[in-house]
Amino acid sequence: MPSLKDKTIKGLVWGAVERWATQCVDFVFTVLIARLLLPDDYGIIAMLNIFLSISRTLIDSGFEAALIRKTDRTDTDFSTVFYFNVAASFLCYVILWVLSPHIAGFYNAPLLEQITKIVSLNLVISAFAGIHSAKLVIAIDFKTKTNVSLVHAIISGTVGLVMAYMGYGIWALIVQSVTAAIVRTIALWIAVRWKPSLVFSWQSFKEMFSFGSKLLTAGLLNTFYNNIYSLAIGKFYSPASLGVYSKANTLANLPSTNVMGVIQNVLYPVLSSIQDDKQKLVDIHRRFLRMSCFIVFPMAVGLASVADPLIHLLLTDKWEGCILLLQIICFSAIWTPIIALNTNLHKVMGRSDYFLKAEIIKKSIGVSILAVTIPMGLVPICYGIVVSTFLSVCCDTYYTRKLIGYGLLAQLRDLFPLLLHSLIMGIAVLMVEYFMPTEIMKLIVGVLAGMTYYVLGAVLCRFKEMKEILSIIKK
């Protein structure tokens, strides 16, 4: 029987392989397709994000987290959640179908009515594989998830690229998304040999919903907040402006989202299994916080430093408008590990009430800042995102201090050497780029210089996170 440490290391390695292998494939297809399409195409698709994201949150309703946290889960629990997910997905699809003319009218984009009816099918298709995905997370089986992710990324990406090359424009993105949902669902059913029983338990439903309901409320707030920027920009600015913002936001959050996606997917079931051993839980939380920031800080700062040559080379000059936005949002994404791991701890310790309170406060602050900055333009909006993100860090760490005595100042004290080292690396990259004559040399030499400086500096400064990561890779 593998130890908890061995399962954690194996989960981290395969989780990283899954995330980064899939994202590399996705990134290649995204770049190739973006070179063929226009920012307007991406802007129109982004207008739907808030409606689809809210629907996904309602369909899940916190049940996946409740299943993962529950140590005595049964097949009845899985079947109950499965039937709820499917029923909720059909209901959301019907609602979006009815609302599609109004959504198109809100944005003054007639084509959006038809697009809404087609893209919303993804909700129903994906609901049939929700439990299968949760079972892989519970088992910390990210090797299987890797295979599934790569299959649907390659197939859907190929379909989208071929359609974009043939001149189908925005429909390439639409068909790509539907294909991805279909292939992923089929692959998960093949990989996870589970079928729902013909049973629905109200007792099981109520038990899990008592925990998941607070996560649902918090999830709705978080989903609404994360997409309200697209809603506001899509309403008050052009589709091209929304396309540029959406691309900048996606690229800026790519490193932090993927790193934290790996760590959270592994850490939540691991910590849930030792939730009664408070000291061990706190020690693991602290170690993972430093290790996460050791990886995310240089990636976010480095991306901001090479944003100019990166956008010009990969996406062409028609995406030039997202360079400054990308650089600003990177300094919001830098705080993602602190927010993610602190909220993760609140859920593991069963304090979904803290999680909900924090979300209400954070989102209220964020919406207030957006209301002030929306008339000022895209750049002030992005600066507002940086401010609201840091205030979110303050809020989350306040509740962590109440739980385990490890608050904002203590966490910043632990992380300051890593942040300072990353910022100096970013300055060094900009200085190197200044002397490079071409865009491709700026990008290649800048990336190599940044990586060399950061790794050598980490060794000389004896950051223990460097040893831990090497140990995980070696094992």
Side-chain angles (χ1 to χ4, degrees):
M1 176 72 71
S3 67
L4 182 63
K5 182 178 180 181
D6 289 338
K7 290 178 72 177
T8 303
I9 291 174
K10 185 177 179 181
L12 282 173
V13 171
W14 276 108
V17 171
E18 183 222 354
R19 277 277 179 167
W20 290 103
T22 305
Q23 286 299 325
C24 284
V25 173
D26 278 339
F27 184 74
V28 170
F29 282 115
T30 297
V31 169
L32 294 174
I33 294 172
R35 292 175 69 92
L36 297 169
L37 303 182
L38 298 172
D40 303 65
D41 298 322
Y42 286 87
I44 292 175
I45 293 295
M47 290 174 178
L48 279 179
N49 283 348
I50 187 168
F51 304 102
L52 296 175
S53 297
I54 289 175
S55 297
R56 292 189 190 100
T57 304
L58 288 170
I59 292 166
D60 177 70
S61 290
F63 282 114
E64 181 176 345
L67 277 172
I68 294 171
R69 185 179 182 274
K70 191 177 182 182
T71 55
D72 58 344
R73 64 189 79 87
T74 65
D75 190 64
T76 298
D77 296 326
F78 287 116
S79 297
T80 298
V81 174
F82 175 83
Y83 290 121
F84 172 82
N85 289 162
V86 173
S89 70
F90 275 104
L91 179 60
C92 288
Y93 179 73
V94 171
I95 292 173
L96 288 176
W97 178 285
V98 173
L99 290 178
S100 59
H102 305 286
I103 294 172
F106 176 80
Y107 287 114
N108 194 26
L111 183 61
L112 207 54
E113 178 179 351
Q114 188 178 1
I115 293 174
T116 302
K117 293 175 180 178
I118 297 173
V119 174
S120 299
L121 284 170
N122 293 345
L123 300 173
V124 178
I125 297 167
S126 298
F128 280 90
I131 294 299
H132 299 74
S133 179
K135 276 183 164 289
L136 292 178
V137 175
I138 292 169
I140 318 181
D141 183 4
F142 292 96
K143 181 177 181 179
T144 302
K145 283 198 75 177
T146 301
N147 296 331
V148 171
S149 298
L150 283 174
V151 167
H152 83 74
I154 293 171
I155 294 176
S156 63
T158 302
V159 170
L161 180 59
V162 170
M163 290 190 66
Y165 182 77
M166 294 175 65
Y168 283 95
I170 192 173
W171 292 102
L173 300 176
I174 296 167
V175 175
Q176 180 187 13
S177 70
V178 176
T179 303
I182 293 172
V183 174
R184 180 177 181 272
T185 298
I186 293 173
L188 281 170
W189 272 75
I190 293 173
V192 181
R193 299 294 181 175
W194 178 84
K195 294 180 181 179
S197 303
L198 294 176
V199 60
F200 184 93
S201 170
W202 282 107
Q203 181 180 352
S204 173
F205 179 88
K206 292 175 183 177
E207 180 184 347
M208 288 186 288
F209 192 68
S210 64
F211 175 80
S213 59
K214 297 183 182 66
L215 298 184
L216 168 61
T217 306
L220 287 172
L221 285 171
N222 191 52
T223 299
F224 180 77
Y225 176 73
N226 287 342
N227 290 278
I228 196 173
Y229 288 88
S230 296
L231 181 73
I233 294 171
K235 177 63 178 176
F236 295 106
Y237 295 88
S238 67
S241 296
L242 177 55
V244 165
Y245 164 80
S246 179
K247 184 63 68 179
N249 188 56
T250 300
L251 289 174
N253 286 284
L254 191 63
S256 57
T257 300
N258 283 288
V259 171
M260 296 318 300
V262 172
I263 291 176
Q264 277 187 291
N265 279 342
V266 175
L267 199 58
Y268 185 63
V270 168
L271 292 183
S272 294
S273 67
I274 57 167
Q275 57 189 276
D276 296 327
D277 189 341
K278 186 174 180 179
Q279 187 56 52
K280 188 174 182 180
L281 185 147
V282 172
D283 290 342
I284 292 177
H285 168 76
R286 193 170 184 175
R287 285 175 59 195
F288 270 85
L289 180 64
R290 283 185 56 91
M291 187 167 69
S292 302
C293 292
F294 178 80
I295 299 170
V296 171
F297 282 178
M299 294 179 76
V301 173
L303 181 57
S305 301
V306 301
D308 194 319
L310 179 71
I311 296 300
H312 281 117
L313 280 171
L314 295 185
L315 301 182
T316 71
D317 294 344
K318 64 186 175 185
W319 290 95
E320 188 175 17
C322 78
I323 294 174
L324 179 57
L325 308 185
L326 170 59
Q327 292 172 324
I328 297 170
I329 299 175
C330 280
F331 288 93
S332 166
I334 202 172
W335 302 111
T336 298
I338 305 176
I339 294 173
L341 292 184
N342 278 276
T343 54
N344 185 69
L345 183 70
H346 303 164
K347 290 188 289 184
V348 166
M349 299 189 73
R351 296 311 301 260
S352 54
D353 56 334
Y354 280 1
F355 184 85
L356 177 58
K357 289 177 184 177
E359 290 302 309
I360 293 173
I361 295 170
K362 292 187 297 184
K363 277 31 180 184
S364 299
I365 293 171
V367 170
S368 300
I369 293 175
L370 175 62
V372 173
T373 57
I374 193 68
M376 301 180 183
L378 295 181
V379 172
I381 289 172
C382 293
Y383 279 121
I385 292 174
V386 177
V387 174
S388 63
T389 303
F390 182 75
L391 293 177
S392 295
V393 170
C394 299
C395 183
D396 286 326
T397 52
Y398 167 78
Y399 286 106
T400 300
R401 184 176 63 81
K402 292 185 69 174
L403 282 172
I404 62 173
Y406 186 46
L408 176 65
L409 293 179
Q411 293 188 37
L412 290 181
R413 189 164 50 247
D414 277 351
L415 301 175
F416 180 75
L418 303 178
L419 179 59
L420 180 63
H421 185 49
S422 300
L423 292 174
I424 295 173
M425 178 209 72
I427 295 172
V429 170
L430 290 174
M431 292 175 64
V432 169
E433 285 181 17
Y434 181 79
F435 295 100
M436 296 297 107
T438 63
E439 299 288 354
I440 191 168
M441 289 187 67
K442 287 180 180 180
L443 181 60
I444 294 174
V445 177
V447 169
L448 292 176
M451 291 174 62
T452 302
Y453 172 85
Y454 192 78
V455 172
L456 288 179
V459 173
L460 293 174
C461 294
R462 297 182 179 179
F463 289 144
K464 58 184 179 182
E465 290 74 26
M466 189 75 185
K467 293 182 179 179
E468 288 190 2
I469 292 173
L470 291 174
S471 174
I472 289 174
I473 294 173
K474 181 178 179 181
K475 189 160 187 175

